[in-house]
Amino acid sequence: MTGKRSAGLLLYRRAGDGPEVLLGHMGGPFFARRDAGAWTVPKGEYEPDETAWDAARREFQEELGLPPPDGEAVPLGEVKQKNGKVVTAWAIEADLDPATVVPGTFAMEWPPKSGRRQEFPELDRVEWFGLDRAAELIVPAQTAFLDRLAEHSD
């Protein structure tokens, strides 16, 4: 069996001191009190019958509640996260107001073994960060996407 695969879009915009990227803070109780390693490219899993590109655009819509922006898609390749998931991402230059985000939700049993299901936002915050700050916050394996974007932006 192959591992889980995820795809996403990393929005970037040009700022005075270099590019800024739009990251989402993972929602739910496990990440509520964490910052470092709890931010991610807006992304989601997909099945073999869907292309990574189609999944990235669909997941952007599902996670942020906004249509994915048009524009040149810069392939950032793949990374393998610590949990074994392979993530594919593209960068698109676009500006987005985080206040317009309407995140999708997921349900899980919480507290554990309580028998109660609660709903949580997929992403509970969305913010713009410079590349250095983003590297401190993003899921560690995804820092490669930031490095590849920086190479493209030079």
Side-chain angles (χ1 to χ4, degrees):
M1 179 173 147
T2 58
K4 293 187 177 185
R5 299 187 66 81
S6 229
L9 300 179
L10 178 63
L11 296 194
Y12 72 98
R13 65 184 184 187
R14 298 175 197 277
D17 53 352
E20 293 180 334
V21 293
L22 186 75
L23 299 180
H25 184 270
M26 292 182 271
F30 299 118
F31 300 99
R33 292 187 175 89
R34 286 184 46 200
D35 238 11
W39 291 80
T40 183
V41 171
K43 62 171 180 45
E45 292 180 9
Y46 65 99
E47 298 298 325
D49 62 342
E50 183 178 25
T51 68
W53 172 247
D54 288 341
R57 294 181 56 79
R58 175 183 51 76
E59 286 292 335
F60 187 92
Q61 174 91 39
E62 288 178 12
E63 299 240 332
L64 302 181
L66 300 168
D70 293 322
E72 178 193 356
V74 178
L76 299 177
E78 294 181 343
V79 299
K80 188 170 189 174
Q81 297 183 162
K82 198 163 105 178
N83 64 5
K85 183 183 289 182
V86 175
V87 180
T88 305
W90 289 265
I92 297 180
E93 186 172 0
D95 203 353
L96 181 149
D97 179 355
T100 63
V101 169
V102 182
T105 60
F106 69 96
M108 65 180 282
E109 183 180 14
W110 192 258
K113 300 180 181 163
S114 67
R116 291 182 34 224
R117 289 187 65 76
Q118 291 191 44
E119 222 169 81
F120 298 96
E122 299 257 4
L123 300 172
D124 58 21
R125 294 185 310 245
V126 177
E127 293 182 33
W128 288 99
F129 297 101
L131 293 181
D132 290 343
R133 182 67 177 138
E136 296 170 1
L137 298 173
I138 200 166
V139 172
Q142 293 180 27
T143 58
F145 294 144
L146 304 177
D147 295 341
R148 293 168 192 164
L149 175 62
E151 290 170 15
H152 172 78
S153 301
D154 288 343

